[in-house]
Amino acid sequence: MLDENRVRADIPGYGTGSDLVFLDSAGSSLPPRVVVDTVVAHLRREADIGGYRAANERLDDLAAVKTDIGRLINADAASIALSDSATRAWADFFYSVPLAPGDRILISGADYASNAIAALQRAEATGAVVEQIPSDGSGQLDLDALADMVDERVKLVSVLHVPTNSGLVNPAADATRIAHSVGALVLLDACQSAGQLPIDVAELDVDALSVTGRKWLRGPRGTGFLYVRPELAASMHPQRLDLHSAQWTGPQEYALVPDASRFEFWECDVAARLGLGAAVRYLLELGPEDVYEAIAVRAEHLRKSLPDIAGVTVRDIGIRHSGIVSFTVDGKSAVEVRDRLAARNITVTASHASSTLLDMTARGLDSVVRASPHCFVSFEELDRFVGAVAAL
């Protein structure tokens, strides 16, 4: 069982007398003390002896970051590339997929704006086309429609595991099976699922997966990673290379490194990457399944409590739900709700239609309030939040 007292004691922001109610782990969560201490200690070491020497002292620890990520998602360390965000990781893979005129890119109805913009840009440049996979009656990916859509011209299917604007969890493994039946690659955006839901890349069978560190994993901002299926990692050609991702072997020759490191550059924020490793190890030590269960129970508590408030509508869709709870309040914008709750030291965020244009437009929504409780939020704090919403 999760030691809730330990989890709360491990958060620097929960000092004596703190009345914070933090419900934005889908945005940028509160890191445990070990993450803060790891980052600060390395920055101080850099200040003492210089960045190069400080990094050389931590080469084994930096390698362990990938090993620990691999333990979390059931992957070899060699199939993981560290990045500075989920968006960068997603784009690094996406822009490396060869495309030609007439090729098809499929995106999910709840896909994130950054992914959709990248797809449209590449379609414009290559002559490929971007098409939306319909949603079914529940709001999740329509698997039957996807099966009817795919053919040999589909080169890549972008699947959003958990959208930014609702509690939906898409059936990623089933979508991957359908895409692979015609030889298409599947790029799974796990930005909102890693750290709050089980992820096993062998079971999901995806070709690539992008993750951020700052959300449910509770790592530093400016961190993330890309998983690439090992056989793909050895054959893909990233759009950009440096002396870390490749070796200069002759005046007119270079050789790519053989694994997913070909998606990395040499220069990076070493302190942040060590902090990401500390966050992943912390999750592994707590017990991921216990953390996932604690998040699910807290989100379900909100889904049951919020509809009892007159004028409040929970906007979550789908069959399976995540730790994100989205809702609207009649007569009040999402930004107004966010700001009035912030005045009471309750942190939520507003998710706008510009981030998930296809889904929000289809549902006639311009914005929603998003509450995303992690395992460290107490039920007393959840009820304080519900009471504050009612008081609006």
Side-chain angles (χ1 to χ4, degrees):
M1 295 294 294
L2 189 67
D3 185 344
E4 296 180 10
N5 290 330
R6 175 204 168 176
V7 170
R8 290 180 65 83
D10 285 343
I11 298 175
Y14 280 170
T16 303
S18 172
D19 64 347
L20 173 65
V21 178
F22 188 83
L23 301 172
D24 194 22
S25 286
S28 186
S29 192
L30 299 182
R33 194 178 311 277
V34 65
V35 172
V36 178
D37 290 348
T38 297
V39 173
V40 172
H42 190 75
L43 290 175
R44 287 176 173 157
R45 187 60 174 161
E46 287 184 341
D48 288 340
I49 64 172
Y52 285 8
R53 184 175 162 192
N56 286 338
E57 292 178 343
R58 305 299 298 274
L59 292 179
D60 289 344
D61 295 326
L62 285 166
V65 175
K66 292 185 182 182
T67 301
D68 290 331
I69 290 171
R71 290 173 56 200
L72 184 66
I73 67 171
N74 190 25
D76 291 333
S79 65
I80 294 164
L82 300 179
S83 185
D84 60 14
S85 70
T87 298
R88 180 68 61 87
W90 191 96
D92 283 347
F93 181 87
F94 175 74
Y95 280 88
S96 301
V97 176
L99 293 173
D103 286 346
R104 300 169 65 203
I105 306 166
L106 306 186
I107 64 174
S108 51
D111 231 322
Y112 191 58
S114 295
N115 302 352
I117 290 168
L120 292 170
Q121 182 194 41
R122 285 211 71 201
E124 185 178 56
T126 64
V129 294
V130 180
E131 301 172 39
Q132 178 190 348
I133 306 166
S135 300
D136 65 16
S138 76
Q140 71 175 20
L141 278 176
D142 189 326
L143 297 173
D144 291 335
L146 175 60
D148 290 338
M149 291 178 72
V150 295
D151 60 22
E152 69 281 355
R153 292 182 299 127
V154 176
K155 300 304 178 185
L156 185 135
V157 178
S158 171
V159 176
L160 198 70
H161 204 187
V162 172
T164 190
N165 66 327
S166 79
L168 166 71
V169 180
N170 268 316
D174 291 332
T176 299
R177 175 181 48 78
I178 294 169
H180 282 173
S181 70
V182 295
L185 296 176
V186 175
L187 173 52
L188 181 67
D189 183 336
C191 182
Q192 288 288 7
S193 55
Q196 68 141 324
L197 295 174
I199 292 181
D200 184 322
V201 293
E203 291 184 2
L204 291 169
D205 199 29
V206 294
D207 300 290
L209 173 145
S210 58
V211 173
T212 186
R214 75 177 190 271
K215 297 181 185 291
W216 301 95
L217 288 176
R218 301 174 65 197
R221 295 196 70 173
T223 61
F225 67 86
L226 171 70
Y227 158 80
V228 184
R229 185 191 296 275
E231 56 269 31
L232 270 179
S235 63
M236 295 193 74
H237 288 258
Q239 291 294 299
R240 297 171 181 83
L241 300 172
D242 76 347
L243 78 173
H244 175 81
S245 45
Q247 292 182 333
W248 194 12
T249 56
Q252 300 293 322
E253 299 168 346
Y254 68 91
L256 288 161
V257 297
D259 58 21
S261 297
R262 63 179 57 190
F263 287 96
E264 297 176 344
F265 270 22
W266 181 83
E267 181 57 33
C268 65
D269 187 337
V270 174
R273 288 189 175 181
L274 291 170
L276 173 62
V280 172
R281 283 192 300 278
Y282 182 79
L283 174 58
L284 291 169
E285 290 168 4
L286 287 179
E289 295 298 332
D290 290 337
V291 171
Y292 304 154
E293 176 65 19
I295 293 169
V297 168
R298 283 156 175 75
E300 190 60 25
H301 182 78
L302 293 185
R303 284 194 190 91
K304 290 180 178 178
S305 300
L306 286 169
D308 291 337
I309 304 171
V312 172
T313 304
V314 172
R315 299 293 183 174
D316 293 339
I317 55 177
I319 297 171
R320 181 186 174 198
H321 291 140
S322 75
I324 294 176
V325 181
S326 61
F327 66 97
T328 55
V329 179
D330 290 350
K332 294 177 174 59
S333 71
V335 169
E336 180 185 354
V337 174
R338 178 200 66 192
D339 292 348
R340 290 181 63 178
L341 291 173
R344 302 181 65 163
N345 208 17
I346 299 172
T347 303
V348 296
T349 197
S351 184
H352 301 282
S354 56
S355 294
T356 45
L357 183 68
L358 299 176
D359 174 65
M360 297 280 269
T361 301
R363 293 197 283 152
L365 298 170
D366 57 9
S367 62
V368 295
V369 185
R370 186 182 69 190
S372 47
H374 213 296
C375 66
F376 54 76
V377 181
S378 70
F379 286 92
E380 178 185 1
E381 289 166 346
L382 294 177
D383 291 338
R384 277 180 53 204
F385 160 69
V386 173
V389 174
L392 296 176

